[in-house]
Amino acid sequence: MPEGPEIRRAADQLERALLNKTVQEIYFAFPHLEGYEDLLRGSIVTRVDTKGKAMLIRFDNGYTIYSHNQLYGKWYIRNLYNYPNTNRQLRLALHNEKKSALLYSASDIEVLRDEEVSGHPFISKVGLDLLSEKVTMDELIERMKDKRFRNRKWPILLLDQGFVAGIGNYLRSEIMFKAGIHPSLRPTDCTEDQLEKAAQSIIDLVSQSYETGGITNDLELAKKLKSEGVKRSRYRHWVFNREGASCFICGNEIEKTVAASRRLYFCPVCQALPDKKGV
């Protein structure tokens, strides 16, 4: 599933292709949305917002297209009517005089009036979004201590879009590693220093992943490994998808477990429980 940084990068591409341009043609694959084609044809795209893993395409006539890529959705930006060769199913197409924005495979698409967006079931419950809002460490730490979140184990909490929007499976493993947090811990089990490290890791890694196209490892180390011919999948992350490989910090083997029915990676040394560190 694309995570917040990937959706924001896709939104940036859409903005470059669609912003301040008139929609000359629009296509919805779902019959219940076909009635909006005439309504949106001839309107102008005013901006493309994101809220976590959701995208909001805003128009000058007071309407917004909400979409969520879920597991398999993917946006393509192409020259006008130059459709990609893919087995995916086209769900939404926006065409202006030069470009086509094409959404494939996603099934969660709605058209809302602007005033309805904040009340949408996903938007109304989603938490802080670091890529569309200014979020401070203090705000994140306060959230970690909130009674809604403080007693939930970190691997489950970090996937909760109501806690922080846009964090998915690779980011949660990377955030916990950088903060030195063992997968069995909850915010309430952590010291103030650990909470500060967790907040800083969330801010840093979400931003870095957005800026680099998904690299969460140390950038100098990633550059060095790339120059040595190491595959991107082996230098992209600190721990995610690196089961059995050596930790870049301590050299111990990275381990894999399952949390919230999804794979989780961690270093048992760098993320040891407090009473086991140094043993």
Side-chain angles (χ1 to χ4, degrees), residues 80-93:
L80 188 61
Y81 299 121
N82 179 19
Y83 294 92
N85 183 15
T86 176
N87 291 325
R88 294 171 177 267
Q89 296 295 311
L90 181 63
R91 304 301 194 188
L92 167 62

Side-chain angles (χ1 to χ4, degrees), residues 4-271:
E6 288 74 35
I7 297 301
R8 185 59 253 177
R9 286 172 70 89
D12 292 347
Q13 290 183 310
L14 260 70
E15 279 203 330
R16 287 193 290 270
L18 304 178
L19 189 63
N20 298 325
K21 295 181 174 63
T22 300
V23 176
Q24 296 187 341
E25 187 175 348
I26 185 167
Y27 162 79
F28 289 104
F30 302 115
H32 70 281
L33 296 175
E34 289 177 353
Y36 291 104
E37 292 176 356
D38 288 339
L39 180 69
L40 294 174
R41 189 180 297 113
S43 62
I44 296 172
V45 175
T46 57
R47 69 181 189 274
V48 181
D49 294 330
T50 57
K51 190 69 172 174
K53 302 176 186 180
M55 188 179 296
L56 301 165
I57 305 174
R58 311 278 194 173
F59 299 86
D60 68 343
N61 63 353
Y63 283 84
T64 294
I65 295 178
Y66 164 95
S67 65
H68 193 299
N69 281 23
Q70 300 172 300
L71 280 173
Y72 303 111
K74 184 174 182 179
W75 281 98
Y76 292 83
I77 305 300
R78 310 279 289 190
N79 290 330
L80 188 61
Y81 299 121
N82 179 19
Y83 294 92
N85 183 15
T86 176
N87 291 325
R88 294 171 177 267
Q89 296 295 311
L90 181 63
R91 304 301 194 188
L92 167 62
L94 294 159
H95 309 283
N96 57 41
E97 61 180 6
K98 293 184 178 180
K99 296 289 183 179
S100 294
L102 312 167
L103 178 57
Y104 285 84
S105 302
S107 59
D108 191 2
I109 303 171
E110 297 181 46
V111 179
L112 307 167
R113 292 197 61 86
D114 288 349
E115 60 268 23
E116 297 173 331
V117 172
S118 62
H120 183 275
F122 178 83
I123 301 296
S124 64
K125 295 178 181 178
V126 77
L128 302 172
D129 188 322
L130 279 74
L131 297 176
S132 64
E133 306 163 8
K134 184 174 177 56
V135 179
T136 66
M137 280 185 57
D138 287 343
E139 287 176 298
L140 285 171
I141 293 170
E142 181 181 356
R143 207 162 181 80
M144 293 169 191
K145 295 178 178 179
D146 189 286
K147 63 182 180 180
R148 293 173 295 168
F149 305 120
R150 65 192 179 199
N151 291 315
R152 301 179 65 188
K153 288 188 177 181
W154 279 104
I156 297 172
L157 177 61
L158 287 171
L159 291 184
D160 182 353
Q161 299 303 292
F163 173 59
V164 175
I167 294 176
N169 212 35
Y170 79 79
L171 278 173
R172 74 164 175 171
S173 289
E174 297 294 280
I175 288 166
M176 292 172 62
F177 173 78
K178 283 291 289 179
I181 292 174
H182 189 273
S184 67
L185 295 179
R186 307 165 297 170
T188 194
D189 302 320
C190 294
T191 64
E192 196 70 22
D193 181 61
Q194 284 178 305
L195 295 181
E196 289 177 4
K197 287 180 179 178
Q200 192 65 62
S201 296
I202 290 170
I203 291 171
D204 291 346
L205 292 181
V206 169
S207 176
Q208 179 178 312
S209 183
Y210 164 67
E211 292 169 359
T212 63
I215 297 174
T216 50
N217 200 351
D218 176 82
L219 294 180
E220 286 301 315
L221 176 58
K223 182 179 179 181
K224 177 178 180 291
L225 293 172
K226 181 179 180 180
S227 70
E228 295 172 354
V230 176
K231 292 183 179 179
R232 186 176 189 272
S233 62
R234 307 312 294 170
Y235 70 69
R236 178 182 173 188
H237 301 305
W238 286 105
V239 293
F240 185 78
N241 206 29
R242 297 188 65 243
E243 179 187 12
S246 298
C247 175
F248 291 124
I249 300 298
C250 73
N252 196 78
E253 280 193 7
I254 301 302
E255 295 186 8
K256 175 185 175 182
T257 186
V258 174
S261 301
R262 301 177 73 182
R263 55 198 172 121
L264 176 75
Y265 300 84
F266 69 103
C267 173
V269 174
C270 294
Q271 295 170 254

